[in-house]
Amino acid sequence: MVILLDIDGVLVTEPSWKKVEIGSDGFMLFNKQSAENLAFILSETNASVILTTTHRINFGLEKWIEIFTLRGINIRTISKLNDKKALADMSDRATEIKEWIGKNGNEENYVIVDDDTSINNLPSSIKKRWVVIKPSIGIDEEAKHQILDILLNK
């Protein structure tokens, strides 16, 4: 099981005009409810996390594990959507996800947890595995149950 995970609008839910608090690890603090819900999902599913966020280029995987751990989220396995190292090299989120699914999707039970509306441009076979997150709320109870339904009822 795999969670394709965005961060802005999913775990960090502060509006763009508001200053986001930075943790001692140098990264933005997560919405408490979103973090708790993600931690619960991971404990129930033992899913791996693949970072789809543009922030993925900012840190190595060990640092990402530290960031999540400091926020109460234990991740079994974490990786990045692709090996892009600069924003200029990235495509839009939908294209990057479609490429990943083309390589891995038939073999993986996955869910896309994201607020990026470009995902609407993907085929319905992919969109049905997308939980649309409300960017000012994050992973609420409804989203948590949708994610679990997709992962546990493949």
Side-chain angles (χ1 to χ4, degrees):
M1 282 183 246
V2 174
I3 299 171
L4 297 166
L5 184 66
D6 183 28
I7 290 181
D8 288 332
V10 175
L11 294 170
V12 177
T13 58
E14 291 294 336
S16 59
W17 53 265
K18 192 172 180 185
K19 185 175 179 179
V20 180
E21 192 175 342
I22 304 296
S24 60
D25 53 17
F27 194 69
M28 298 174 284
L29 294 181
F30 294 168
N31 170 302
K32 186 177 180 194
Q33 179 188 27
S34 287
E36 288 173 358
N37 284 335
L38 179 59
F40 179 81
I41 292 162
L42 291 168
S43 72
E44 291 294 304
T45 64
N46 205 25
S48 298
V49 170
I50 296 178
L51 295 173
T52 61
T53 177
T54 55
H55 293 293
R56 69 184 182 263
I57 65 172
N58 297 335
F59 305 110
L61 296 176
E62 300 243 340
K63 180 68 173 182
W64 279 114
I65 290 171
E66 175 189 337
I67 289 167
F68 281 97
T69 301
L70 286 171
R71 288 157 180 76
I73 302 169
N74 296 314
I75 295 178
R76 178 178 64 89
T77 307
I78 192 167
S79 59
K80 298 178 182 184
L81 187 61
N82 53 38
D83 60 0
K84 305 290 186 206
K85 304 227 183 304
L87 284 174
D89 297 333
M90 292 182 183
S91 300
D92 66 89
R93 184 76 44 82
T95 300
E96 290 188 330
I97 288 173
K98 188 174 182 182
E99 288 171 358
W100 182 88
I101 290 168
K103 292 177 188 170
N104 307 286
N106 293 331
E107 299 153 22
E108 290 286 353
N109 176 14
Y110 67 90
V111 63
I112 302 164
V113 181
D114 207 315
D115 66 324
D116 189 324
T117 56
S118 74
I119 296 169
N120 269 317
N121 299 325
L122 292 172
S124 59
S125 61
I126 297 173
K127 285 196 308 190
K128 72 181 182 182
R129 304 192 72 77
W130 173 34
V131 176
V132 183
I133 302 298
K134 298 171 197 122
S136 61
I137 297 172
I139 304 172
D140 59 8
E141 285 297 308
E142 179 183 355
K144 176 177 86 172
H145 292 296
Q146 289 174 340
I147 294 164
L148 288 169
D149 283 347
I150 290 170
L151 289 175
L152 299 176
N153 300 312
K154 181 182 180 184

